[in-house]
Amino acid sequence: MTFQLILNLLIGVIWMFLSESYSFASFLVGFVIGAALLFLLNRFIPDSYYFKQVKAIGYLIFLFIKELIMANLEVLKWVYKPKLDFQPGIIALPIDVKKNWEITLLANLITLTPGTLSVDVSRDQRYIYIHAIDLPDVNQTIVGIKDTFEKAIREVTR
């Protein structure tokens, strides 16, 4: 946890004790007041404002849900087509994320999206091998993953 988040939680607890109301609503009011104070005094605190990361995490969750729905609809179309004319394949996705948990998160997001499966990570951790049900254009698929999931993960971690 970052220093600012800990400080904000502490402000929420202090507010709860000072108002002598030991409820979640009282804590939440203190937390919101603390978040506003941290935002106003951000230039005096060395770290960047932590709500930027919260916003990035929210965007990553929204992006995953959107991609999950779109991929489910695409797989549903393939299931109900009378003629199966998709082109399965395996691609090597070059990755820019470096930490193990970032690579794991990216691989899991790819696997959890219907129609794709993370097969392996190269030993030097520069590529994720992905099996896709339909792979008409390899470059478009690579750019699509890098511009969505990988970019969102980098926003959360950096």
Side-chain angles (χ1 to χ4, degrees):
M1 285 206 272
T2 65
F3 170 72
Q4 288 184 7
L5 179 59
I6 293 170
L7 185 61
N8 200 2
L9 291 171
L10 186 62
I11 291 170
V13 170
I14 290 171
W15 179 266
M16 186 174 64
F17 285 120
L18 288 176
S19 65
E20 295 182 2
S21 174
Y22 308 109
S23 65
F24 179 73
S26 177
F27 170 76
L28 191 61
V29 168
F31 187 82
V32 169
I33 290 171
L37 285 173
L38 285 172
F39 180 74
L40 292 174
L41 301 172
N42 189 37
R43 64 178 149 168
F44 301 113
I45 300 173
D47 295 335
S48 64
Y49 189 54
Y50 78 94
F51 257 57
K52 291 178 185 176
Q53 284 182 319
V54 172
K55 181 181 168 188
I57 291 170
Y59 175 73
L60 179 62
I61 292 169
F62 169 76
L63 177 68
F64 173 67
I65 291 171
K66 182 190 92 155
E67 290 293 325
L68 183 69
I69 291 169
M70 298 300 288
N72 272 311
L73 292 174
E74 194 67 30
V75 170
L76 189 65
K77 287 180 199 175
W78 293 328
V79 168
Y80 285 111
K81 276 187 177 179
K83 182 181 178 197
L84 299 176
D85 59 348
F86 52 84
Q87 302 167 346
I90 295 179
I91 60 170
L93 174 73
I95 54 175
D96 297 327
V97 292
K98 300 298 178 203
K99 298 176 184 168
N100 284 337
W101 72 271
E102 293 172 334
I103 296 170
T104 303
L105 179 61
L106 178 61
N108 285 334
L109 289 175
I110 291 168
T111 298
L112 289 172
T113 306
T116 56
L117 175 69
S118 299
V119 179
D120 195 14
V121 177
S122 65
R123 290 195 184 270
D124 60 358
Q125 296 184 336
R126 294 179 51 212
Y127 296 95
I128 294 178
Y129 297 100
I130 301 168
H131 179 272
I133 289 179
D134 190 25
L135 200 58
D137 186 9
V138 174
N139 291 330
Q140 181 182 1
T141 304
I142 289 173
V143 169
I145 293 172
K146 291 184 83 54
D147 285 347
T148 55
F149 288 141
E150 189 173 16
K151 183 178 176 184
I153 290 171
R154 280 187 274 130
E155 289 292 320
V156 169
T157 60
R158 293 179 179 111

